[in-house]
Amino acid sequence: MALTSYSTLITAVGDWLERADTDALVPDWIALTEAHMNRRLRVAKMIERATATISSGFGTLPTDFLAPHSLRLDEDDYRLLRFVTPTQMAEFKAISSNRSGTPQLYSVINQEIEVGPVPSTSATTMLWYFQKIPALMVSNTSNWVLTSNPDAYLHGCLMFAGSYYQDAGLRDEHATLFNAALERIEAEDRNSQFAANPTPTPSQYAV
């Protein structure tokens, strides 16, 4: 059976386990697999963009935000902002001359973007970010991982099945295969970036 959809994945997990009572359990294993992949993977296929309006120094993050990639002002000179930790941002703003003006830095705290200095009026920014892997469910039957690397989902689910059934052999065998599948995703990402830029050359644009 081809692993091309949410339903075929549920069926395949049951087939591999040689059990007919797993259909209600597999959705939990899929969610756990996705949580694990979201914690580990940071590849180009996860990069999405969104506009964010900064008001009083803060802007709301997209609901599917996982981690920042880059942020720029979407007006005037399209200035790229430099990422800093929340602590570094607080230290930066502790200096009075850094409290208001054209933003230079950004940070992420809770579910908000913070910029510094704070612009005098609302500012529009363009955020590139790592997006959570779109969760598989009845209303979303596929995503980029299932399409390109279905083995990651299969072995991830079987690893969690091993934990559920307290079968260390099943868990450890598929943990190894799951990790190998994630390593292939990361290697494919590195190779695709290298193929697009085979010979590094100095940028013609001033930074």
Side-chain angles (χ1 to χ4, degrees):
M1 175 183 294
L3 292 178
T4 57
S5 68
Y6 179 66
S7 61
T8 57
L9 176 59
I10 290 174
T11 300
V13 172
D15 289 346
W16 276 64
L17 292 171
E18 298 183 327
R19 299 182 66 108
D21 59 350
T22 60
D23 284 8
L25 298 169
V26 179
D28 286 346
W29 301 337
I30 290 173
L32 291 169
T33 297
E34 289 168 343
H36 186 97
M37 292 191 291
N38 281 328
R39 285 192 294 270
R40 171 164 169 175
L41 295 177
R42 297 292 183 271
V43 296
K45 288 181 179 179
M46 300 172 77
I47 296 175
E48 186 56 270
R49 64 177 179 171
T51 57
T53 299
I54 304 298
S55 179
S56 300
F58 292 88
T60 303
L61 291 169
T63 56
D64 58 359
F65 175 88
L66 190 60
H69 180 273
S70 60
L71 180 75
R72 68 166 169 78
L73 297 179
D74 203 26
E75 49 194 40
D76 299 329
D77 61 357
Y78 296 118
R79 179 193 300 269
L80 274 172
L81 306 189
R82 181 166 60 88
F83 179 79
V84 295
T85 67
T87 298
Q88 290 171 324
M89 179 66 77
E91 292 172 347
F92 176 80
K93 287 185 173 179
I95 301 171
S96 59
S97 59
N98 292 339
R99 292 174 188 169
S100 62
T102 301
Q104 303 171 28
L105 311 177
Y106 80 102
S107 188
V108 171
I109 181 167
N110 199 4
Q111 287 300 306
E112 291 186 304
I113 303 168
E114 180 180 11
V115 301
V118 177
S120 58
T121 60
S122 294
T124 302
T125 63
M126 180 63 71
L127 171 70
W128 280 263
Y129 66 100
F130 290 98
Q131 178 190 53
K132 294 177 183 176
I133 296 167
L136 294 182
M137 59 185 72
V138 173
S139 59
N140 182 53
T141 61
S142 189
N143 60 28
W144 67 267
V145 180
L146 189 63
T147 298
S148 60
N149 301 88
D151 53 331
Y153 265 111
L154 178 64
H155 295 303
C157 287
L158 292 170
M159 176 184 71
F160 286 111
S163 294
Y164 180 85
Y165 292 118
Q166 298 182 354
D167 185 333
L170 177 68
R171 181 198 63 209
D172 294 347
E173 175 186 359
H174 290 284
T176 298
L177 293 170
F178 181 40
N179 184 65
L182 298 185
E183 288 178 348
R184 282 192 294 273
I185 292 174
E186 293 166 335
E188 289 163 4
D189 180 69
R190 290 191 298 270
N191 290 340
S192 67
Q193 292 184 50
F194 178 78
N197 299 281
T199 306
T201 56
S203 173
Q204 60 180 309
Y205 304 107
V207 177

